[in-house]
Amino acid sequence: MRIAVAGGTGTVGHHVVELARERGHDVASLSRAEGVDLVSGRGLDEALQGVDTVIDVSGINSTATKKAVDFFTNASQNLLAAEKKAGVQHQVVLSIVGIDKATSGLYAGKLVQEDIVRHGGVPWTLLRSTQFHEFVPLVVKTASAGPVVLVPKMFTQPVAAREVAEALVSAAEAGPQGRITDLGGPRLEELDGLVRAYLDRTGQRKKVVEVPLPGLMGKAMRSGALIPAPGAAVGRQTFMEWLEASSGTYRQEK
């Protein structure tokens, strides 16, 4: 199968590209670094020539609602238009568990993306997953103010990015299925505890201050609304196992 991976250089995307190739598929990675811009549509028509299935794991590094909505609106519409021109038969999309309960920021953008895909005219499969283990170092990077890390009060069930990639490639191989079973990690955790474990493992002396965020997003984080419902698929690797395996890399990068 010829598979194109939108966002193929990202946290999940590079795993998708690698796994799909390991399974014998012909894979094209779509990213700005590789000459394809989803927002403007540049390079999409050429990149999707001969493609059977698109796996969309594209994203934006912003928590601003307007930026997220604009990105996913433009990217999804351009991708669908190019897919129709190229005769793509299946689009697999990665979304986020609980976005119905937290309709702001990135989650608002993903809701728009889901709606566009559902009504876009290309057969689709949608997988919602929880935050990846890499979410924790991202929080430390973006929420640090000197020696302090301001951590949202949040229940989370983080999952390995590679396991999400496995689910996406399997979905591509299975053909269009609509929304499939949500995927979460193996343990329910509190975000502040994960941040403390990460700081300790990487030798960073920072004080963790837990902050309850306002609005629907903060309420969803605190209430457990971003945790998969009973019956969801469960990943294998815990956060601590991931941290043990990857902390050497993060020590070098911090």
Side-chain angles (χ1 to χ4, degrees):
M1 185 190 305
R2 172 100 173 133
I3 298 175
V5 183
T9 58
T11 301
V12 174
H14 79 278
H15 288 299
V16 173
V17 170
E18 182 180 273
L19 285 164
R21 286 175 176 161
E22 287 176 2
R23 295 189 187 184
H25 300 293
D26 181 12
V27 182
S29 176
L30 313 183
S31 70
R32 281 180 295 179
E34 294 156 318
V36 179
D37 189 328
L38 297 179
V39 175
S40 70
R42 176 176 57 87
L44 267 177
D45 289 344
E46 297 80 5
L48 295 187
Q49 289 290 327
V51 167
D52 303 295
T53 297
V54 170
I55 300 177
D56 185 2
V57 289
S58 61
I60 181 173
N61 291 323
S62 175
T63 58
T65 298
K66 186 179 186 306
K67 285 185 178 181
V69 169
D70 288 349
F71 172 84
F72 284 109
T73 298
N74 293 327
S76 299
Q77 290 176 345
N78 288 336
L79 191 54
L80 279 165
E83 287 171 358
K84 291 177 181 178
K85 286 182 185 179
V88 171
Q89 297 300 304
H90 184 198
Q91 182 175 7
V92 180
V93 179
L94 176 63
S95 191
I96 309 171
V97 168
I99 57 176
D100 309 286
K101 306 289 180 62
T103 55
S104 65
L106 181 64
Y107 286 32
K110 296 300 287 185
L111 277 172
V112 168
Q113 180 190 35
E114 287 190 7
D115 186 64
I116 291 171
V117 169
R118 285 190 176 101
H119 300 95
V122 174
W124 54 275
T125 299
L126 173 68
L127 170 68
R128 288 183 177 181
S129 86
T130 54
Q131 290 75 26
F132 318 130
H133 296 317
E134 288 85 353
F135 177 64
V136 174
L138 179 62
V139 168
V140 172
K141 181 178 179 180
T142 59
S144 289
V148 175
V149 187
L150 301 175
V151 179
K153 185 174 179 58
M154 178 180 183
F155 288 100
T156 183
Q157 200 166 316
V159 65
R162 188 171 181 86
E163 292 174 7
V164 175
E166 289 172 359
L168 292 167
V169 175
S170 294
E173 294 170 336
Q177 303 169 75
R179 182 175 169 185
I180 59 176
T181 304
D182 293 353
L183 174 62
R187 288 176 57 100
L188 177 64
E189 308 275 9
E190 292 191 53
L191 183 58
D192 66 321
L194 300 183
V195 169
R196 287 186 174 91
Y198 172 77
L199 292 172
D200 181 65
R201 176 66 67 173
T202 56
Q204 300 182 62
R205 294 188 176 183
K206 291 178 179 285
K207 180 180 180 180
V208 175
V209 177
E210 191 176 42
V211 180
L213 295 185
L216 288 175
M217 178 63 76
K219 182 179 179 180
M221 287 178 165
R222 297 189 300 274
S223 69
L226 307 184
I227 301 301
V234 178
R236 303 178 301 277
Q237 187 185 50
T238 67
F239 176 80
M240 293 305 296
E241 289 169 342
W242 170 83
L243 185 57
E244 180 67 28
S246 61
S247 60
T249 300
Y250 283 103
R251 281 182 184 276
Q252 294 169 15
E253 294 178 351
K254 71 182 178 70

